[in-house]
Amino acid sequence: METVRRALHAGSWYTDNTKKLGEELDEWLRATGLPKSPDIRGIIAPHAGYSYSGRCAAYAFANIDPENISRVFLLGPSHHHYTPKCALTRATIYRTPLGDLPVDLEVIEELKATGKFELMDLHVDEAEHSMEMHLPYIAKVFHGHQVKIVPILVGSLNSQNEAMYGRLLAKYVDDPQNFFSVSSDFCHWGSRFHYTHYDKKHGPIHKSIEALDHMGMDIIETGDPDAFKEYLQDFGNTICGRHPISVFLHMLRSCSEKVSIGFIRYEQSSKCKSMKDSSVSYASAAAKLDGGGGNR
């Protein structure tokens, strides 16, 4: 029995015109000038509307060599639905304007059997944009290749559960046919986000935000989930995908492969100059086999 998760953000967060969307993504991927690498095992990429973060996201997705990958795990934060756990999809197909992506039901069953996951209702799945915003890029990059997806909604996990899910998912990193797409924006700054941290030593507000984000990015690059947790506690940076990132860091720590994260691109939706302003930051990273880093 087929259960389709519709692309409910198509037509608003990004165009639902197949031709236009395909051309847009092609252009952004080409503009990065990045080569595809079989050593790239995962990415961290933003999930805002494409007019804001589509270009930045291309710097993550352009690294993917689709040749030997048959499965993409999606780790996305939950913006509207509260759960202290991770949740699996009930859908069998994820629709995108660039074609359907089938869910790997075998792996979903495997994860379900651990007893550690919830199942999310279809309306929760469709309302959440964090994974949907990665899907057109996945459909584009894997066009002509047989690929299945494993969407995992990451709830408000405590430190123990971040580590537990990381250990549980680590074995999938050791299989080179698996790829990981981790969804996160970075600092949400301004009174509308209830976050106005400003360190004046950096000059204008947008430079303070940049310094704060880069501090977090540097820590993520060390691969240390405990240091990342400490940074979040110390500065309260509003990184919406902090839980998916933390789970991913624990996965890389627990797997037998040596995989290092390197950031490639950083952008802000606008340059904040006064306390009345607001912005969201976007960062793209690639997780590379054998300690390959990024090039910020």
Side-chain angles (χ1 to χ4, degrees), residues 4-179:
V4 176
R5 182 211 179 273
R6 298 167 297 167
L8 286 197
H9 297 82
S12 51
W13 289 56
Y14 56 100
T15 180
D16 55 2
N17 180 306
T18 300
K19 186 172 181 290
K20 195 175 165 198
L21 180 60
E23 287 170 353
E24 199 170 57
L25 299 190
D26 272 334
E27 185 191 321
W28 289 338
L29 289 164
R30 211 169 26 245
T32 67
L34 293 168
K36 295 174 179 184
S37 167
D39 293 334
I40 302 295
R41 303 300 301 280
I43 56 168
I44 299 170
H47 56 235
Y50 280 1
S51 61
Y52 295 103
S53 72
R55 274 177 204 280
C56 183
Y59 283 83
F61 290 99
N63 294 280
I64 302 172
D65 181 350
E67 281 306 320
N68 299 310
I69 298 164
S70 59
R71 188 182 295 113
V72 178
F73 286 75
L74 290 144
L75 299 176
S78 180
H79 286 85
H80 312 294
H81 172 72
Y82 175 77
T83 174
K85 295 183 175 184
C86 285
L88 302 169
T89 185
R90 293 176 192 267
T92 60
I93 287 184
Y94 273 44
R95 189 140 285 164
T96 89
L98 300 181
D100 292 350
L101 292 165
V103 173
D104 192 321
L105 302 178
E106 206 176 302
V107 175
I108 294 286
E109 286 304 319
E110 218 172 86
L111 295 176
K112 230 190 271 182
T114 65
K116 303 292 186 187
F117 292 83
E118 289 181 355
L119 288 177
M120 57 176 150
D121 291 335
L122 195 59
H123 71 87
V124 169
D125 200 341
E126 290 184 331
E128 181 53 60
H129 64 274
S130 68
M131 292 186 281
E132 181 179 331
M133 299 309 291
H134 283 203
L135 298 175
Y137 265 116
I138 291 168
K140 167 57 72 179
V141 170
F142 287 92
H143 180 71
H145 298 266
Q146 294 287 322
V147 72
K148 291 182 176 181
I149 59 170
V150 182
I152 302 172
L153 185 74
V154 181
S156 301
L157 309 182
N158 60 28
S159 301
Q160 291 75 18
N161 279 344
E162 285 173 347
M164 178 271 290
Y165 284 112
R167 286 191 301 269
L168 192 149
L169 292 166
K171 69 169 188 176
Y172 296 103
V173 181
D174 293 329
D175 181 346
Q177 291 190 310
N178 293 332
F179 190 86

Side-chain angles (χ1 to χ4, degrees), residues 187-195 238 278-280:
C187 185
H188 296 62
W189 195 94
S191 54
R192 73 191 182 101
F193 299 117
H194 310 290
Y195 187 75
T238 44
S278 69
S279 74
V280 179

